[in-house]
PDB file of all heavy atoms in Angstrom:
ATOM      1  N   LEU A 198       0.843  13.711  -6.714  1.00  0.00           N
ATOM      2  CA  LEU A 198       1.976  14.630  -6.596  1.00  0.00           C
ATOM      3  C   LEU A 198       2.739  14.473  -5.292  1.00  0.00           C
ATOM      4  O   LEU A 198       3.494  15.349  -4.913  1.00  0.00           O
ATOM      5  CB  LEU A 198       1.467  16.082  -6.693  1.00  0.00           C
ATOM      6  CG  LEU A 198       0.677  16.426  -7.964  1.00  0.00           C
ATOM      7  CD1 LEU A 198       0.227  17.875  -7.878  1.00  0.00           C
ATOM      8  CD2 LEU A 198       1.523  16.212  -9.194  1.00  0.00           C
ATOM      9  N   GLY A 220      15.502  30.296   5.657  1.00  0.00           N
ATOM     10  CA  GLY A 220      15.418  31.137   4.470  1.00  0.00           C
ATOM     11  C   GLY A 220      16.185  30.615   3.291  1.00  0.00           C
ATOM     12  O   GLY A 220      15.695  30.649   2.159  1.00  0.00           O
ATOM     13  N   ALA A 233      12.505  25.073 -13.021  1.00  0.00           N
ATOM     14  CA  ALA A 233      11.743  24.015 -13.685  1.00  0.00           C
ATOM     15  C   ALA A 233      10.619  24.603 -14.519  1.00  0.00           C
ATOM     16  O   ALA A 233      10.346  24.147 -15.633  1.00  0.00           O
ATOM     17  CB  ALA A 233      11.188  23.046 -12.640  1.00  0.00           C
ATOM     18  N   GLN A 243       4.723  16.318 -27.380  1.00  0.00           N
ATOM     19  CA  GLN A 243       4.616  15.465 -28.556  1.00  0.00           C
ATOM     20  C   GLN A 243       5.981  14.979 -29.047  1.00  0.00           C
ATOM     21  O   GLN A 243       6.073  13.928 -29.694  1.00  0.00           O
ATOM     22  CB  GLN A 243       3.901  16.227 -29.689  1.00  0.00           C
ATOM     23  CG  GLN A 243       2.513  16.723 -29.320  1.00  0.00           C
ATOM     24  CD  GLN A 243       1.596  15.611 -28.855  1.00  0.00           C
ATOM     25  OE1 GLN A 243       1.589  14.529 -29.441  1.00  0.00           O
ATOM     26  NE2 GLN A 243       0.832  15.872 -27.810  1.00  0.00           N
ATOM     27  N   SER A 249       6.881   3.534 -23.310  1.00  0.00           N
ATOM     28  CA  SER A 249       5.495   3.065 -23.359  1.00  0.00           C
ATOM     29  C   SER A 249       5.285   1.725 -22.662  1.00  0.00           C
ATOM     30  O   SER A 249       4.161   1.242 -22.583  1.00  0.00           O
ATOM     31  CB  SER A 249       5.025   2.948 -24.817  1.00  0.00           C
ATOM     32  OG  SER A 249       5.831   2.008 -25.521  1.00  0.00           O
ATOM     33  N   LYS A 261       8.756  -7.105 -18.495  1.00  0.00           N
ATOM     34  CA  LYS A 261       8.545  -5.933 -19.333  1.00  0.00           C
ATOM     35  C   LYS A 261       7.140  -6.048 -19.919  1.00  0.00           C
ATOM     36  O   LYS A 261       6.861  -6.962 -20.703  1.00  0.00           O
ATOM     37  CB  LYS A 261       9.596  -5.880 -20.445  1.00  0.00           C
ATOM     38  CG  LYS A 261       9.509  -4.667 -21.345  1.00  0.00           C
ATOM     39  CD  LYS A 261      10.632  -4.700 -22.392  1.00  0.00           C
ATOM     40  CE  LYS A 261      10.566  -3.506 -23.331  1.00  0.00           C
ATOM     41  NZ  LYS A 261      11.673  -3.553 -24.333  1.00  0.00           N
ATOM     42  N   ASP A 326       5.317   0.409 -11.840  1.00  0.00           N
ATOM     43  CA  ASP A 326       6.520   0.602 -12.640  1.00  0.00           C
ATOM     44  C   ASP A 326       7.697   0.902 -11.715  1.00  0.00           C
ATOM     45  O   ASP A 326       7.629   1.798 -10.874  1.00  0.00           O
ATOM     46  CB  ASP A 326       6.312   1.765 -13.616  1.00  0.00           C
ATOM     47  CG  ASP A 326       7.483   1.963 -14.556  1.00  0.00           C
ATOM     48  OD1 ASP A 326       7.923   0.981 -15.174  1.00  0.00           O
ATOM     49  OD2 ASP A 326       7.965   3.110 -14.660  1.00  0.00           O
ATOM     50  N   THR A 424     -12.449 -25.582  27.734  1.00  0.00           N
ATOM     51  CA  THR A 424     -13.783 -26.108  27.466  1.00  0.00           C
ATOM     52  C   THR A 424     -14.895 -25.211  27.995  1.00  0.00           C
ATOM     53  O   THR A 424     -16.054 -25.390  27.642  1.00  0.00           O
ATOM     54  CB  THR A 424     -13.932 -27.502  28.099  1.00  0.00           C
ATOM     55  OG1 THR A 424     -13.750 -27.393  29.525  1.00  0.00           O
ATOM     56  CG2 THR A 424     -12.893 -28.460  27.526  1.00  0.00           C
ATOM     57  N   LEU A 496       6.642  17.484 -15.385  1.00  0.00           N
ATOM     58  CA  LEU A 496       5.345  17.470 -14.706  1.00  0.00           C
ATOM     59  C   LEU A 496       4.593  18.772 -14.953  1.00  0.00           C
ATOM     60  O   LEU A 496       3.390  18.768 -15.226  1.00  0.00           O
ATOM     61  CB  LEU A 496       5.561  17.273 -13.209  1.00  0.00           C
ATOM     62  CG  LEU A 496       4.287  17.313 -12.346  1.00  0.00           C
ATOM     63  CD1 LEU A 496       3.377  16.144 -12.672  1.00  0.00           C
ATOM     64  CD2 LEU A 496       4.642  17.306 -10.865  1.00  0.00           C
TER      65      LEU A 496
END
Side-chain angles (χ1 to χ4, degrees):
L198 303 179
Q243 302 304 318
S249 61
K261 182 178 179 180
D326 184 50
T424 61
L496 177 66

